[in-house]
Amino acid sequence: MSDILVTGARGMLGREVVRALSSRHAVVGVDIEEFDIRDAAATLNAIRRTSPDIIVNCAAYTDVDGAEARRELAFAVNADGAGNVARAAGEVGAAIVHISTDYVFDGESKSPYRENDTPNPLNIYGESKLAGEKAVAESGAQYLTLRTAWLYGHGSPNFVETMLRLAGEQESLRVVDDQEGMPTSAADLAMIIVDLLPTGVRGVLNATNSGSCTWFTFARRILELSGGSEVVIEPVRTEEFTRPAKRPRRSVLSLVRLTESLGWEPRSWQEALADYLTERQGG
């Protein structure tokens, strides 16, 4: 049993990671109430006290549109904060698992992005997460950076919960149909992390549920599975749905290296979504 510290433990992913790891490991979950990862000294002191073998850094600023107006905060958490955690990990001899994003890419590739493809983020959020990747890589700690995508789960705002809320308020919805990505269950990502830890794999790894779709297709499946299929969903182009942050058109990630590392392929986004909605409805 390894001692594992999970930062951002009260967030959507952090909660799932703590729950998944606790069945096999001694886990300590912390969040901003315990220490702020933007504070290098406080981070180092807290990690020294805990002295974990592994740190899973789930702490992040995740408001993609909000980051456009709050660049300094996004970089303070996603770049400087990630670096602080990673350097502290190196100080105590711990390995770090760091969570990054598909938004480090510009979405122009016609093929799924591999881990060694050149990043080119389109928005401040993606830039801050890429800077965090670099800070972790340069920290001196042994690291595994996981790029995930379109994450949803319990307890925090996300696309699934937004669609369910809007479907209860409106008779019709307009959803973008020319941006493609890989919906990923936070619970499934947590289990991927659990199974990756014993492998000792290091570097950068894509980690999502398998398969891809557009936001429109994702929304339609959400409503079909939740009994809201009477709500009319209109597919629209990105240009018709203005948002502060520019999104990549096709941020599909290759899961070849992940599957080789795990020895199994992550389940489809459709299956993961069905389980999430069944659990959410108490089924």
Side-chain angles (χ1 to χ4, degrees):
M1 298 248 310
S2 299
D3 289 323
I4 299 178
L5 178 69
V6 179
T7 62
R10 284 184 275 283
M12 181 175 68
L13 177 60
R15 282 187 242 186
E16 296 290 352
V17 170
V18 168
R19 182 167 64 176
L21 286 170
S22 293
S23 63
R24 304 188 194 181
H25 303 274
V27 179
V28 175
V30 295
D31 215 301
I32 195 168
E33 292 82 0
E34 285 74 32
F35 67 91
D36 189 334
I37 65 170
R38 294 175 293 178
D39 185 328
T43 299
L44 177 57
N45 289 336
I47 289 174
R48 277 178 174 163
R49 286 195 301 271
T50 311
S51 192
D53 298 317
I54 299 168
I55 299 171
V56 183
N57 182 34
C58 298
Y61 179 87
T62 58
D63 184 348
V64 177
D65 287 321
E68 295 297 304
R70 307 186 77 184
R71 184 183 191 279
E72 187 174 336
L73 176 58
F75 270 82
V77 178
N78 294 341
D80 300 337
N84 291 338
V85 175
R87 284 187 292 273
E91 286 273 342
V92 303
I96 179 170
V97 178
H98 176 64
I99 310 301
S100 190
T101 174
D102 59 319
Y103 280 13
V104 299
F105 294 113
D106 60 17
E108 295 300 319
S109 175
K110 291 181 170 54
S111 302
Y113 284 102
R114 297 167 299 177
E115 287 80 359
N116 60 353
D117 285 337
T118 302
N120 184 34
L122 299 178
N123 53 49
I124 299 297
Y125 170 72
E127 290 177 7
S128 70
K129 294 297 286 184
L130 180 59
E133 287 189 10
K134 292 178 179 177
V136 169
E138 294 168 358
S139 68
Q142 291 193 42
Y143 72 94
L144 173 62
T145 291
L146 300 179
R147 289 178 179 150
T148 193
W150 293 21
L151 204 62
Y152 65 88
H154 302 286
S156 293
N158 60 78
F159 184 78
V160 176
E161 295 300 326
T162 296
M163 288 299 103
L164 293 171
R165 175 178 58 80
L166 291 177
E169 299 171 353
Q170 304 175 18
E171 295 181 355
S172 63
L173 303 173
R174 301 170 74 244
V175 182
V176 170
D177 195 30
D178 59 356
Q179 295 173 20
E180 182 181 1
M182 305 176 79
T184 302
S185 157
D188 279 32
L189 180 56
M191 289 309 304
I192 287 171
I193 292 170
V194 169
D195 282 2
L196 282 173
L197 291 184
T199 71
V201 63
R202 296 290 182 260
V204 178
L205 203 60
N206 299 329
T208 67
N209 283 115
S210 64
S212 64
C213 63
T214 68
W215 290 114
F216 170 76
T217 303
F218 190 20
R220 187 170 58 187
R221 180 58 67 96
I222 291 165
L223 298 189
E224 287 172 353
L225 292 172
S226 63
S229 55
E230 71 280 358
V231 177
V232 176
I233 310 179
E234 178 189 354
V236 298
R237 297 181 59 80
T238 297
E239 292 76 14
E240 300 174 66
F241 199 83
T242 305
R243 302 282 291 275
K246 188 175 181 181
R247 264 73 168 175
R249 289 295 180 96
R250 189 174 189 272
S251 56
V252 177
L253 304 177
S254 169
L255 299 183
V256 171
R257 185 166 181 244
L258 177 67
T259 299
E260 290 174 348
S261 299
L262 290 171
W264 52 269
E265 183 179 9
R267 63 181 177 164
S268 70
W269 69 265
Q270 295 96 326
E271 185 179 352
L273 175 64
D275 275 2
Y276 174 76
L277 292 173
T278 298
E279 179 187 344
R280 184 183 182 278
Q281 293 163 359

